[in-house]
Amino acid sequence: MIKSRKVPMQKNPQGENDFKPNRFMNAGIRAIEGEGNERKFELSFSSEEPYTRWYGVEILDHSEKCVNLDRLENIGVVLFNHNTNRVLGKVERVWIEEGRGKAVIEFDEDDETEIIRKKVERGTLKGVSVGYSVDVWEEVATGKKSSDGRFTGPCYIAKNWTPLEISVVSVPADSTVGIGRNLEDEPEQRRFAELSALERLIQLNETKGRLMGQTAVF
């Protein structure tokens, strides 16, 4: 069943907004060859790789009409670590290819950006992350298939989502796109922390249930 709603699971068991709309991706970034292209690179910034958050598995659908590229095409920028005050350059071209979001970016020429560009060129910085918003989710129950039959639940599928910016990141939070491979064990650590949060929620509900049962007896 497709449910049109924004961030349907934004509050975690601890009462905080835990929905961070960004994804790290690990995919090869390559310099664009040719005269005048010294500051241009091609990269992947998103994929359909399942991403485990505290509320469940999230998938960004890259099927036709699911991804709105207008913002990146018109005013897309490249940031450093999602910091809006650290603009590194612009998104020159963006497209979807084989279930991935791909882009050609161009670094600016200021001294601060040049430091980052050289680190990317040398392979010191290998992480790419995308900031995005989701307008329509499809919630798929355990063991059920998504409406297009491509995914099996339990999961939340972003059926209408918009990439907002592309970031070069030093400490990634996901490991399926970008400029190389980095912090490979981090996703497992995140899953453990998210599982612990769910377990605490279950324990809390069980405790409340017992207390309610005791109250009913008295």
Side-chain angles (χ1 to χ4, degrees):
M1 178 174 60
I2 298 179
K3 298 183 178 182
S4 179
R5 53 185 182 179
K6 292 187 177 181
V7 194
M9 61 302 286
Q10 64 182 4
K11 290 188 177 180
N12 68 21
Q14 298 173 330
E16 302 170 352
N17 187 338
D18 194 39
F19 183 75
K20 297 180 180 179
N22 55 66
R23 291 274 202 104
F24 172 83
M25 180 166 176
N26 189 339
I29 183 171
R30 67 176 184 85
I32 303 296
E33 298 180 356
E35 186 176 353
N37 292 327
E38 294 80 8
R39 313 190 70 79
K40 296 181 181 181
F41 294 81
E42 181 180 314
L43 53 81
S44 296
F45 62 85
S46 65
S47 76
E48 294 185 335
E49 182 76 13
Y51 186 96
T52 303
R53 298 188 184 276
W54 72 265
Y55 51 78
V57 175
E58 175 195 285
I59 298 172
L60 299 178
D61 196 332
H62 284 64
S63 301
E64 186 178 2
K65 298 183 179 179
C66 286
V67 192
N68 183 354
L69 298 176
D70 289 348
R71 184 184 177 96
L72 285 186
E73 288 176 339
N74 295 326
I75 56 172
V77 294
V78 181
L79 305 179
F80 184 60
N81 284 333
H82 297 288
N83 186 341
T84 55
N85 293 318
R86 294 289 305 277
V87 178
L88 301 177
K90 64 182 179 180
V91 177
E92 186 170 270
R93 188 164 70 92
V94 62
W95 70 98
I96 302 298
E97 181 180 316
E98 297 181 349
R100 288 179 174 243
K102 306 196 73 172
V104 171
I105 65 170
E106 182 174 9
F107 285 97
D108 289 339
E109 298 183 6
D110 58 277
D111 292 341
E112 187 176 20
T113 296
E114 182 64 7
I115 293 174
I116 303 299
R117 188 195 69 80
K118 287 182 177 180
K119 289 182 181 294
V120 170
E121 187 176 56
R122 290 195 297 263
T124 303
L125 286 174
K126 301 179 180 180
V128 168
S129 183
V130 61
Y132 59 94
S133 64
V134 181
D135 292 315
V136 178
W137 296 91
E138 179 180 358
E139 183 177 352
V140 184
T142 302
K144 301 295 184 180
K145 289 286 187 180
S146 59
S147 57
D148 59 7
R150 299 174 60 225
F151 307 106
T152 302
C155 60
Y156 292 90
I157 304 172
K159 300 296 292 185
N160 189 329
W161 63 281
T162 302
L164 305 175
E165 48 85 7
I166 296 172
S167 283
V168 173
V169 293
S170 53
V171 182
D174 184 3
S175 61
T176 62
V177 294
I179 311 170
R181 197 155 189 83
N182 202 0
L183 291 187
E184 295 182 2
D185 60 341
E186 193 278 337
E188 186 62 33
Q189 295 171 356
R190 183 181 62 251
R191 291 189 187 97
F192 177 80
E194 292 163 346
L195 179 59
S196 298
L198 286 173
E199 290 174 341
R200 289 195 297 271
L201 178 60
I202 292 172
Q203 291 172 355
L204 178 62
N205 288 337
E206 289 176 346
T207 301
K208 287 182 177 180
R210 288 195 297 268
L211 290 176
M212 291 178 65
Q214 293 172 359
T215 301
V217 171
F218 290 111

